[in-house]
Amino acid sequence: VTTGHDAPVATATSTGGGAAPVAVGELVAAARDGSVRAIARLLTTVENGGAPAGAVAAELTGLPRPAEIIGITGAPGAGKSTLTGALLHRLRSGSDGRAARTVAVLAVDPSSPFSGGALLGDRVRMAEHVTDPGVFIRSMSSRGSLGGLSAGTPAAVDLMSALGFDVVIIETVGVGQSEVDVMHLADTVAVVLAPGMGDGIQAAKAGIMEIADLLVVNKADHEGTKAAVRELKGMVALGRSGVAEAGSWRIPVLATVASDGMGVDELVAALGEHRQHLVSSGELARRQARRAGAAVESVVLERVRRALAGPAGRRELAAAADSVVAGRIDHHRAAQGVIDWLRSPPAAD
Ligand SMILES: Nc1nc2c(ncn2[C@@H]2O[C@H](COP(=O)(O)OP(=O)(O)OP(=O)(O)O)[C@@H](O)[C@H]2O)c(=O)[nH]1
Ligand SMILES: [Mg+2]
């Protein structure tokens, strides 16, 4: 079945005309010195993908990446953005006996291939930090314009780490596989729920319990908090949240009121404990490898999609489809032919 659907794809495939390496080097230097404009330009470049994004990645090779990467996900409306704002505030003012840390926040929306819109409210909520040079906040989409996890998302996380931010917070909106994909980029994942009927069950169904390192019942000023905490502790005790392979880590269940900061110190402490666990158990290295693997995979898939969406790629697919319809070859052999073509495409048209 052909859909006759013309993908809305930019035809420029970014061969040639890539950003000059010197300019990229200067941008990276300026960004590491704290220039917000340079950081924003680099982020846009890696989000857009293609050869310029490759040039940025090359420039970042070998730089230390000390950032703690924290994922915040959970039920819609549970207070993820408010909690991110509260966490930001605490990390910036220094807490837990530590100095103030620099923080990058990437608010990632898997439901839309475009940024903006739904996340505007989040920007407003974090408005107190807009003039703070130690904070960088950006919303972005996690889905590439050609489908799948955008190569820009892993690249953005890596960029923030390589630019020297102490903490990178990834907040996702929405529920589902793409959210899980995004959270696989984090070292520590906090799943945020609000008290209410069967929240834990819903989260379990959505597959986000399995990725939780910390469980947070936010809106603890609402009724049902104790019941929700009890339900979640029960699920943890029964091993429902499935991080048993991570060894001795016992998932804490915390209660917060993000809107007034209650419980945020405890959250910061729990994040620190998980960090120590990651280091001492060797799990940190495994998660770093998982993140690097996701970055590589996303570029591979993006390049395949780009190649197939271009005029030559569409012709190649159409020819393969004709052969299958005519009964000359089966679709597996046709696919192999397309893969061979991808490995050595004739000069682009
Ligand atoms: N009472 C109370 N309200 C809260 C608390 N935390 C957040 N809120 C409110 O709950 C609403 C939703 O908060 P958000 O932070 O936007 O929630 P979110 O999870 O980011 O929402 P989405 O991104 O749309 O999924 C807002 O009106 C907040 O002010 C809390 O601890 N207690
Ligand atoms: Mg939000």
Side-chain angles (χ1 to χ4, degrees):
V1 178
T2 58
T3 59
H5 201 83
D6 235 15
V9 167
T11 46
T13 48
S14 67
T15 44
V22 175
V24 172
E26 281 167 9
L27 263 184
V28 168
R32 283 169 62 83
D33 276 345
S35 159
V36 173
R37 280 192 53 203
I39 298 170
R41 278 189 61 187
L42 286 170
L43 188 49
T44 300
T45 305
V46 304
E47 271 192 276
N48 289 343
V56 173
E59 192 65 35
L60 301 175
T61 307
L63 290 176
R65 286 159 167 80
E68 296 180 21
I69 300 172
I70 298 167
I72 296 189
T73 189
K80 299 178 294 295
S81 300
T82 312
L83 194 61
T84 300
L87 196 54
L88 194 49
H89 182 80
R90 210 52 59 100
L91 292 169
R92 287 305 293 149
S93 46
S95 62
D96 215 17
R98 297 180 64 166
R101 282 175 271 175
T102 56
V103 187
V105 178
L106 299 172
V108 175
D109 186 352
S111 65
S112 159
F114 309 101
S115 337
L119 290 161
L120 272 177
D122 297 351
R123 285 214 191 97
V124 171
R125 226 162 278 133
M126 296 176 196
E128 73 166 287
H129 303 287
V130 291
T131 56
D132 178 352
V135 172
F136 182 87
I137 300 173
R138 174 89 155 241
S139 4
M140 58 188 299
S141 81
S142 69
R143 231 172 50 185
S145 53
L146 304 174
L149 180 68
S150 158
T153 310
V157 173
D158 183 64
L159 173 68
M160 293 303 147
S161 189
L163 291 181
F165 283 97
D166 298 322
V167 178
V168 179
I169 299 177
I170 318 168
E171 182 202 337
T172 57
V173 180
V175 172
Q177 185 55 45
S178 44
E179 188 168 47
V180 171
D181 290 345
V182 172
M183 286 297 117
H184 277 157
L185 302 173
D187 296 322
T188 299
V189 175
V191 171
V192 184
L193 305 161
M197 281 285 290
D199 253 338
I201 310 281
Q202 290 211 333
K205 272 195 193 144
I208 51 178
M209 290 294 281
E210 283 89 63
I211 58 171
D213 300 303
L214 279 71
L215 289 168
V216 180
V217 178
N218 186 46
K219 303 195 182 181
D221 52 330
H222 285 190
E223 250 174 74
T225 301
K226 279 190 180 146
V229 168
R230 210 181 311 119
E231 180 194 9
L232 292 171
K233 283 187 170 161
M235 290 174 79
V236 170
L238 290 170
R240 281 294 299 279
S241 32
V243 278
E245 78 273 14
S248 55
W249 179 249
R250 179 70 177 255
I251 298 167
V253 180
L254 306 162
T256 58
V257 182
S259 45
D260 71 10
M262 192 215 93
V264 177
D265 280 338
E266 289 80 358
L267 175 58
V268 170
L271 290 167
E273 280 162 28
H274 188 249
R275 185 76 189 177
Q276 282 177 3
H277 162 79
L278 288 173
V279 172
S280 61
S281 65
E283 178 66 14
L284 183 62
R286 278 190 289 277
R287 292 193 183 194
Q288 285 167 339
R290 178 173 73 183
R291 182 159 56 241
V296 174
E297 183 184 349
S298 69
V299 172
V300 170
L301 295 177
E302 187 184 77
R303 284 170 69 165
V304 169
R305 285 196 189 95
R306 267 183 203 244
L308 291 182
R314 286 213 288 264
R315 270 202 304 278
E316 193 66 23
L317 275 180
D322 285 346
S323 301
V324 171
V325 170
R328 283 194 293 277
I329 56 173
D330 64 86
H331 61 282
H332 282 258
R333 280 186 55 206
Q336 186 59 52
V338 172
I339 289 168
D340 293 343
W341 172 82
L342 282 170
R343 285 164 57 90
S344 55
D349 47 3

